[in-house]
Amino acid sequence: MALQTATQGTGAQADSVGLAARLGQNRTFLGVLFMLPAATVLILLLAYPLGLGVWLGLTDTRIGRAGVFIGLENYEFLFDDSVFWLSVFNTFLYTVVASIVKFGLGLWLALLLNNHLPFKAFLRAIVLLPWIVPTVLSAIAFWWIYDSQFSIISWTLIQLGVIDHYINFLGDPDMARASVIAANVWRGIPFVAITLLAGLQTIPQSLYEAAVIDGASPWQRFRFITFPMLTPIIAVVMTFSVLFTFTDFQLIYVLTRGGPLNATHLMATLSFQRAIPGGQLGEGAAIAVAMIPFLLAAIMFSYFGLQRRRWQQGGGD
Amino acid sequence: MDYLASIPRKVVTVYIPLAIFLFILLFPFYWMTITTFKSNEELYNYEDFSPFWVSNPTLANVYKLFFETSYPTWLWNTMVVSVAATFLSLFCAVCAAYAIERLRFKGARTAGLTIFLAYLVPPSILFIPLATLVYAYGVFDSNWALILTYPTFLIPFCTWLLMGYFRSIPYELEECALIDGATRLQILIKIMLPLAVPGLISAGIFAFTLSWNEFIYALTFISSSEHKTVPVGVVTELVEGDVYHWGSLMAGALMGSLPVAILYSFFVEHYVSSMTGAVKE
């Protein structure tokens, strides 16, 4: 806009140059100008689709046919749909179990890596690998590891004499749930560990020295120094972890596609299945929208948790 | 604290658990790699061959992957989409981060918060409405469908990361330039960007790996084999019926992982420090 004004009309050139210069000084104008590219993309392809998704959830749109407004019918239908409720249950089970295990093992790994070790940088680098490699591709490796006839886990356990027949990792409902959770944990540990490690390294060493002089046990040092100092970063990491686990799609799609008997269907995979191969875009959108309240709850929980923590510590903002 | 622990104790409390962690975290990659180089007779025969080792390595699976499937096309598509989406996102993110962090215009705080919230909107909620949009804009089943939609999660991430980086550059430098009569654009291009190169590199690598990883959009918006990306191609086309060609599947997974793993290994220090930096903010 500044350029347009500057090149407009020859008579008022001096004036418009002045205007351009003034606009060039105006922070608000410049701010809006600099925000424009990002805002355009995010409004057109994020905010608008988000609203459109809510709208689609209120219609009976199918692939290849525009839908009409049907109010809450999709939700009423889902309310009576046992597969939907099973997917809600699975999503919670998957999120809660995987997040807790990821947190526990991630914290442990972070504490291990926080010791004085040889090849520290190298260790950090290889620990992150499961997080870097595309999820789908590592999930395929897990698929092969979990194979019903050639699973290396079953083979090893049989050789060791622990079991006497091959485990049907992805064919049995409970086993399949455990298997996908294990794969998710495997992928998530590095992220939790490396970020918590960064948090650990910001804790002043003098606190530990003082505690040692006062005779604090290792557990007390962890409980009263490490954990409180780490709380803010734990809140951030766990919000992310919960959010991404809750909306996971790739791993399930590759390993089980929701089976056996829908035992591993998450809300995201059910939404995909109903909308794209099933063609019921409206219903799929309704399932996706049903995830939003849970996501908001997770964000609020960690946000207020963090605020309360700060307030306890006497910090203002 | 270290000096309190004796050596044998450290072996039990640190080295052994760490070794187990490393074994579990790396085993799937090891398994992927040796499966790639096994011949079929060796692959399914645990009686005569040790499953943990390759007795007669072969390149047959890799050969099959590159010469008998569309894998090279998928690699090329993934590369094109990732590079284009990364540059588009970096451009938008640099402008936005500079505006929020340095111009401090009215509403800058709100804009910053909105960008952060945008990062929390998961693709698995957006893919259905985006699919209808992609179809309506006429870019369905083309690289453009992905180049245009990936920035929705890349821009918030890069902006957030670059905001932190810009904050670390002393404001005095900019003040001096302002007094000398430089415009904001000149300041951004001539002062901020050169100083922010490490931040730009890590944002770029993050964006590139995130694009390379993306699955649900690519699965939904692309239907023909010639436009698929590596993750989608491997899952939808290398898996044929009930017979799984594990050798070439693992080769596909390995070859698809290598580019990001190699790129990442060059910049690992950047990566780790900026990832931890971004979370600390």
Side-chain angles (χ1 to χ4, degrees), chain B residues 16 52-54 63 73 116 125 132 137 163 179 200 229 247 262:
Chain B
I16 292 178
F52 288 104
W53 192 243
V54 196
Y63 181 88
T73 322
F116 175 72
I125 289 182
T132 66
Y137 293 158
M163 276 167 64
I179 292 168
L200 288 172
T229 59
I262 292 170

Side-chain angles (χ1 to χ4, degrees), chain A residues 24-25 27-32 34-35 37-38 41-42 44-46 48-50 52-53 56 61 105-106 108-109 112-113 115-118 121-138 140-145 147 149-152 155-156 166 186-187 189-191 194-195 197-199 202 205 208-209 212 218 221 233 236-237 239-240 243-244 247-250 253-254 257 268 271-272 275-276 281-282 284-285 288-289 291-292 295 299 317, chain B residues 1-4 9-10 13-15 17-18 21-22 24-29 31-32 35 43-46 51-52 88 91-93 95-100 102-106 109 111 115-122 124-133 137 148-149 151-153 155-156 159-160 171 184-185 188 206 209 212-216 219-220 230-232 234-236 239 244 246 249-250 252-253 256-257 260-261 264 268-269 271-272 275-276 279-281:
Chain A
Q25 307 287 330
R27 278 156 179 266
T28 307
F29 172 76
L30 277 176
V32 171
F34 274 83
M35 286 300 294
V41 174
L42 292 181
L44 268 182
L45 295 167
L46 196 127
Y48 173 59
L50 200 58
L52 183 65
L56 279 175
T61 311
L105 293 177
W108 188 16
L109 183 57
L112 291 174
L113 289 173
N115 284 289
H116 283 291
L117 299 165
F122 178 69
L123 275 178
R124 281 197 307 189
I126 54 172
V127 158
L128 259 180
L129 259 186
W131 176 254
I132 308 301
V133 165
T135 314
V136 169
L137 303 181
S138 54
I140 292 176
F142 269 95
W143 196 27
W144 171 221
I145 289 173
D147 188 82
Q149 290 174 54
F150 298 99
S151 167
I152 187 63
W155 185 84
T156 311
Y166 271 62
W186 175 84
R187 189 190 130 72
I189 285 177
F191 173 69
I194 295 293
T195 35
L197 177 63
T202 60
Q205 207 58 39
Y208 291 109
E209 281 158 15
V212 169
R221 289 195 299 257
I233 205 165
V236 175
V237 171
T239 310
F240 277 67
L243 227 58
F244 294 134
T247 58
D248 193 17
F249 172 82
Q250 320 190 1
Y253 186 83
V254 173
R257 307 235 166 152
S271 159
F272 177 85
I276 308 297
L281 284 177
V289 170
M291 293 199 276
I292 295 176
L295 297 178
I299 296 169
D317 189 40
Chain B
M1 271 203 306
D2 252 24
Y3 49 86
L4 290 178
R9 195 177 148 184
K10 205 174 169 186
T13 58
V14 178
Y15 291 116
L18 199 58
F21 265 114
L22 288 182
I24 292 172
L25 291 179
L26 295 183
F27 182 75
F29 298 120
W31 201 234
M32 201 192 262
T35 306
L43 193 55
Y44 302 116
N45 186 348
Y46 288 178
F52 288 104
L88 180 62
F91 169 74
C92 297
C95 296
Y98 182 75
I100 293 170
R102 283 300 162 92
L103 290 174
R104 301 275 164 97
F105 61 98
K106 237 183 247 168
R109 275 185 75 98
I115 293 263
F116 175 72
L117 287 178
Y119 181 63
L120 300 178
V121 178
S124 43
I125 289 182
L126 286 178
F127 74 95
I128 296 173
L130 268 180
T132 66
L133 281 184
Y137 293 158
L148 291 174
T149 49
T152 54
F153 55 87
I155 291 175
T159 308
W160 193 33
Y171 187 67
R184 293 284 184 169
L185 193 64
L188 178 60
F206 270 112
T209 41
W212 196 278
N213 271 316
E214 209 290 325
F215 182 65
I216 192 166
L219 179 69
T220 316
V230 169
V232 176
V234 170
V235 173
T236 58
V239 180
Y244 306 125
W246 287 112
L249 260 177
M250 288 300 112
S257 308
V260 278
Y264 154 81
V268 65
E269 277 311 307
Y271 203 113
V272 172
M275 181 160 121
T276 51
V279 173
K280 254 187 280 177
E281 285 307 319

